[in-house]
Amino acid sequence: MYVAVKGGERAIENAHRLLAHERRGDRSVPEVTTDQIAEQLTLAVDRVMTEGSLYDRELAALAIKQARGDLIEAIFLLRAFRATLPRFGSTRPLDTGAMRIRRRISAAFKDLPGGQVLGPTFDYTHRLLEPPVSDPPMPATAPAPSEPTPRVSDLLAADGLIETTAFPASPDGAEQPPGDLTREALSFPADRDLRLQNLARGDEGFLLALAYSTQRGFGRTHPFAGEIRLGDVALEMWSEDAGFALPIGRVTVTECQSINQFKGSATEPPRFTRGYGLVFGHCERKAMSMSLVDRSLRARELDEEVKAPAQDEEFVLSHSDNVQATGFVEHLKLPHYVDFQAELGLVRRMREEHARRAASSGTANVVDDTREAAE
Amino acid sequence: MTVTYNFAYLDEQTKRMIRRAILKAIAIPGYQVPFASREMPMPYGWGTGGVQVTAAILGPTDVLKVIDQGSDDTTNAVSIRKFFGRTAGVRTTTRTAEATVIQTRHRIPETPLRENQVIVFQVPIPEPLRFLEPRETGTRRMHALQEYGLVHVKLYEDIARHGHIATTYAYPVKVDGRYVMDPSPIPKFDNPKMSDSPALQLFGAGREKRIYAIPPYTRVASLDFDDHPFERWRHHCRCALCGAEESFLDEVITDDHGSRMFVCSDSDFCESRRGEATTSPEAVSLASDTETHHG
Amino acid sequence: MATLSPGFADPVLAAQATFRGVMDAVARPCTVVPLIDTPAAPPPLCAAAAAIALTLFDHDAPVWLDPPLAQVSDVAAWIRFHTGAPIVTEPAVAAFALVSDPAGLRPFRDFAAGTLENPDTSATLILQVTTLEDGPALDFIGPGVAGRATLRAAPLPNGFAEQIIANRALFPRGVDLLFATRGSVAALPRSATLVGEV
């Protein structure tokens, strides 16, 4: 007997209770704390802060716990919280040249001022599955570096070997404040400031796949890992009252500058071009992918033919956001039966017509047309 | 950590931005106004656009109704109604006639709307030309120049191939003779309700960051051809619960032998009718009931 | 600053009520809609226009003031203090224009009409009028109007009929008009078409 589908409210409440229960798992096992997540799952926390666009380790750890370790869900939680925060202003651009370095490598030079600093990396570990030591020996220490650690791109720029105008000046020459795609809907063509913001918030897996595709020939840009640096940088805000910039704290960032395919012309000597990646915390894979994709997306301004997916800004920027993507893909779980009924009615009607035609002509062609699915 | 939220969740600056977009949307019927959609505490694709529009217009004296698939108690409708009950403390109702603001996904209520009502549609893909031209740069130009030939070609290809226009929902309309507009994925049965409605119709697409509108008493024509006029469609039978012959019906499979029944998709409409009179269930037929409408 | 009059007593709910009034007005051209909660504004800014300003203006919406308003420094100070909106002197970059003397208003074409691709990037002109009941009758048809609607606002800008016809011809580009008086508002969005004798 048909029972009208009632009780949606109770179903939701019960589902929430069950979810909380499953999140807790076996209650005889101690509950994981957000401190433990913040201290021991640091790379997950870094990714959630980066793609969540909010630098707050404590909240990111809470989001990861609440999301049962589903990082895209955790990113979503952080973004939704971020959207409710008041905006007091913008900091001055970060000076990553003045970074307190924890890791710094360049694949373009054997050695360079400030040296190569390997830092905490999986790079040369052997991937043998073994339980980690719970009380590892304290790390070796080195004396604080006496010489500065200039960025590789600045060293090359001093000789004019790499482009220096990272952002095209506006027509009247005035410096324009960077755009903000959380305050204004993205429109195309999008300038590099908005593209970089979009990539910084973009899904690591999506950017990784796009970056990989450029290396395999889909929009090749001949990248060298000019420099990857990880460390703390100072945040400063300009104070009208004080008349100078006030330090408001430090954040950990990973920066990647790729050195790419040179360009020159009859009037201009050849010089390398660059791609840029900057993320919160230690997200090296993401920073590198971002710099490769950034360089690919500059095809239009560098007069390169746009033919690969990673060069297509509308394709890349419209699909990079995993909070948007997961929402829309997963919304197919919502009921669509009204539209499906309408579609069903048409298919039944066409099948009847088809059967009548087949009966009268004695043939039976198979209809094999397909249609796009539900919205 | 204590977190307090503003009335109707959104902060005032966000509301102002959305309100300015709504006013431009009403002034340019059917045109999609870009807006800086915010991350909402529910997923994109689950009504974030509709929720932002509702949050920007809702006041303490409003009475809110939320439906999904025509029904007030589908899970997403329940969830959104609870959200506004909690963040705005507004009165909610399931009765179409009592509501001042109706947020909907995929249906327009059967009960005709009135002048003092606003209906807010949740929209997944606001661009009616998107499946013909995936690029925003392309579709924006097509709207600017009223280059709508491709839509007609697409509909005509359907006729050539299937003998029918094969679009059954999200059936494109032209608003006041100017903009081709996506009515959101309502069944085309509901399209004629959009034209000349006494109520204001607002559309919010959160993920795609667009707001658009149909003012009251505005001509909304479903695209068609002289030799293939627009056709409304519903299951050709009466509601098994209330006996309605004019409402859009859901097909419900009742056992594993393929038995089925048809009931009103608009749960309030059905319940109101059952409150007024009791009708015996109707024998089921699978044929279609098709009415012809021009524009 | 100390002499500035206050804004809305309840900024959240008053802005919502005012917006619903303005939204109703734009959705139903020529209809006179009451605004319930209006603030005390520095003259010659009228209370209804001030309520609209508090509801729709902020730092993302540049505002142009007509000369009589621009002459009174309290008006700009009040708007800046309560809304944060930048006051601009170039009409073409304004999202909103506040006009206390409609008869002396410069031509509509000096304000942003938007582009064909983005017609929403156009100005909304807020005209302070002395009446919405007793002005000359002008009939309009179009979206939001069942049959015909009559505007009775006065005073109106010079050559109003010709200007409004020219504005309609730009559609989907064009400016949108709000008429504010004492406790009411009426609107003439660009979609409204003037009919009858001109």
Side-chain angles (χ1 to χ4, degrees), chain C residues 121-186:
Chain C
T121 55
S122 57
T124 301
L125 315 185
I126 302 163
L127 311 184
Q128 295 186 183
V129 292
T130 52
T131 179
L132 286 170
E133 317 278 343
D134 306 324
L138 292 169
D139 283 358
F140 288 87
I141 57 169
V145 178
R148 275 181 183 218
T150 308
L151 182 75
R152 285 185 167 277
L156 292 171
N158 271 330
F160 183 72
E162 292 74 19
Q163 289 212 67
I164 215 74
I165 290 168
N167 189 54
R168 182 66 183 81
L170 292 175
F171 194 88
R173 301 171 62 233
V175 296
D176 303 307
L177 308 182
L178 296 177
F179 301 92
T181 188
R182 282 178 284 278
S184 322
V185 63

Side-chain angles (χ1 to χ4, degrees), chain A residues 73-361:
Chain A
E73 180 68 24
I75 290 161
F76 180 14
L77 287 168
L78 214 54
R79 288 260 198 103
F81 177 71
R82 180 193 188 276
T84 67
L85 297 177
R87 171 167 307 233
F88 299 117
S90 329
T91 64
R92 292 166 56 83
L94 298 184
D95 181 5
T96 53
M99 178 186 279
R100 279 190 207 147
I101 300 280
R102 285 164 55 198
R103 168 165 163 77
R104 188 271 192 117
I105 53 166
S106 170
F109 293 97
K110 183 171 196 293
D111 200 5
L112 65 172
Q116 307 261 16
V117 179
L118 207 47
T121 176
F122 291 121
D123 284 353
Y124 303 101
T125 62
H126 295 143
R127 268 58 167 205
L128 303 173
L129 199 57
E130 52 195 354
V133 187
S134 72
D135 190 17
M138 294 306 286
T141 53
S146 51
E147 55 175 352
T149 313
R151 289 175 297 204
V152 168
S153 53
D154 295 340
L155 299 172
L156 287 170
D159 292 337
L161 285 167
I162 196 164
E163 55 176 351
T164 48
T165 322
F167 291 93
S170 66
D172 56 7
E175 195 177 304
Q176 295 207 336
D180 181 352
L181 51 79
T182 69
R183 315 300 288 182
E184 212 168 311
L186 189 62
S187 64
F188 300 104
D191 283 338
R192 196 173 175 207
D193 50 346
L194 290 171
R195 298 200 304 256
L196 286 169
Q197 185 189 11
N198 176 287
L199 297 180
R201 290 159 58 90
D203 182 75
E204 177 175 315
F206 179 70
L207 295 197
L208 175 67
L210 284 172
Y212 179 43
S213 73
T214 68
Q215 291 179 287
R216 292 195 62 263
F218 287 84
R220 188 154 183 230
T221 59
H222 306 271
F224 293 94
E227 182 175 11
I228 293 151
R229 54 169 62 200
L230 159 72
D232 295 348
V233 289
L235 283 178
E236 293 182 333
M237 265 185 94
W238 180 259
S239 163
E240 288 295 344
D241 296 340
F244 55 85
L246 297 169
I248 56 168
R250 300 185 75 83
V251 293
T252 300
V253 295
T254 309
E255 180 185 58
C256 174
Q257 299 225 41
S258 63
I259 303 173
N260 296 73
Q261 190 160 337
F262 56 82
K263 254 195 95 59
S265 66
T267 51
E268 288 224 27
R271 55 175 56 122
F272 292 104
T273 58
R274 48 171 139 181
Y276 189 75
L278 183 77
V279 295
F280 288 150
H282 190 185
C283 294
E284 212 162 292
R285 182 188 301 123
K286 166 73 181 270
M288 293 180 72
S289 303
M290 180 175 167
S291 72
L292 262 59
V293 177
D294 167 50
R295 175 59 185 81
S296 291
L297 290 178
R298 298 180 61 208
R300 182 168 44 86
E301 68 210 38
L302 294 170
D303 288 326
E304 294 164 348
E305 195 186 348
V306 175
K307 51 186 178 182
Q311 296 170 310
D312 182 333
E313 67 173 32
E314 199 165 337
F315 176 78
V316 173
L317 303 187
S318 301
H319 302 111
S320 61
D321 191 300
N322 53 24
V323 177
Q324 290 176 6
T326 199
F328 200 46
V329 167
E330 295 197 51
H331 105 287
L332 292 174
K333 291 181 282 193
L334 291 179
H336 281 80
Y337 53 79
V338 162
D339 292 345
F340 183 70
Q341 295 296 306
E343 197 91 335
L344 201 56
L346 177 69
V347 171
R348 281 188 179 131
R349 183 167 157 194
M350 292 195 314
R351 286 175 63 87
E352 283 164 20
E353 289 167 1
H354 183 265
R356 273 200 302 277
R357 279 199 308 276
S360 59
S361 69

Side-chain angles (χ1 to χ4, degrees), chain B:
Chain B
M1 193 181 70
T2 51
V3 180
T4 52
Y5 294 108
N6 195 17
F7 176 82
Y9 182 78
L10 296 177
D11 60 279
E12 290 301 297
Q13 200 195 336
T14 300
K15 285 184 194 165
R16 274 192 300 273
M17 176 269 297
I18 295 172
R19 287 168 178 167
R20 289 193 295 259
I22 290 173
L23 295 182
K24 288 300 172 190
I26 298 170
I28 317 167
Y31 164 75
Q32 303 162 52
V33 180
F35 81 111
S37 173
R38 300 288 194 255
E39 259 102 6
M40 297 299 285
M42 59 204 53
Y44 284 117
W46 299 53
T48 57
V51 165
Q52 288 180 78
V53 169
T54 299
I57 68 173
L58 206 61
T61 57
D62 275 313
V63 181
L64 177 70
K65 172 182 165 84
V66 183
I67 51 171
D68 187 336
Q69 314 295 297
S71 163
D72 297 272
D73 62 311
T74 38
T75 43
N76 204 42
V78 169
S79 163
I80 290 172
R81 191 164 56 241
K82 274 182 84 169
F83 175 75
F84 282 115
R86 196 162 121 189
T87 58
V90 292
R91 255 180 73 210
T92 58
T93 182
T94 57
R95 305 301 301 266
T96 300
E98 282 174 10
T100 57
V101 175
I102 301 169
Q103 180 168 327
T104 179
R105 174 168 174 265
H106 293 196
R107 278 306 313 274
I108 298 176
E110 308 289 2
T111 308
L113 300 181
R114 299 186 322 266
E115 278 213 342
N116 57 355
Q117 293 180 313
V118 182
I119 183 166
V120 178
F121 294 79
Q122 300 174 202
V123 185
I125 302 269
E127 180 48 75
L129 311 173
R130 184 57 73 233
F131 296 108
L132 306 167
E133 165 54 64
R135 280 169 205 287
E136 179 66 16
T137 34
T139 51
R140 207 147 260 279
R141 197 197 58 241
M142 289 159 77
H143 284 296
L145 304 175
Q146 284 188 271
E147 272 176 19
Y148 293 135
L150 264 183
V151 199
H152 283 98
V153 170
K154 196 273 178 194
L155 294 176
Y156 211 85
E157 278 173 1
D158 282 355
I159 296 170
R161 192 183 300 169
H162 305 289
H164 301 276
I165 291 175
T167 302
T168 57
Y169 57 90
Y171 189 105
V173 295
K174 195 172 222 186
V175 181
D176 198 40
R178 177 56 177 83
Y179 282 99
V180 167
M181 189 197 91
D182 181 288
S184 87
I186 55 172
K188 65 181 179 177
F189 175 83
D190 284 340
N191 273 23
K193 297 176 186 168
M194 297 190 133
S195 193
D196 223 30
S197 170
L200 170 63
Q201 302 173 74
L202 300 176
F203 299 77
R207 195 179 36 78
E208 299 279 341
K209 301 178 168 53
R210 295 291 184 273
I211 286 172
Y212 53 101
I214 303 173
Y217 306 114
T218 299
R219 205 158 33 96
V220 178
S222 302
L223 301 184
D224 64 357
F225 302 93
D226 286 341
D227 52 344
H228 282 269
F230 172 77
E231 289 179 339
R232 252 179 137 177
W233 177 89
R234 65 187 287 280
H235 287 293
H236 177 66
C237 50
R238 293 163 66 174
C239 170
L241 299 177
C242 76
E245 292 178 301
E246 70 278 24
S247 65
F248 192 82
L249 301 177
D250 293 335
E251 177 178 344
V252 180
I253 299 175
T254 50
D255 62 25
D256 55 2
H257 306 298
S259 305
R260 59 199 75 206
M261 67 191 294
F262 294 87
V263 297
C264 290
S265 128
D266 183 336
S267 52
D268 169 60
F269 178 77
C270 194
E271 278 161 27
S272 308
R273 283 177 50 89
R274 274 180 284 155
E276 285 159 15
T278 36
T279 330
S280 59
E282 171 76 359
V284 161
S285 150
L286 288 185
S288 307
D289 186 2
T290 298
E291 300 168 46
T292 297
H293 272 258
H294 254 294

Side-chain angles (χ1 to χ4, degrees), chain C residues 27-51:
Chain C
R28 299 165 205 280
C30 305
T31 308
V32 179
V33 180
L35 297 180
I36 292 140
D37 193 345
T38 56
L45 184 61
C46 82

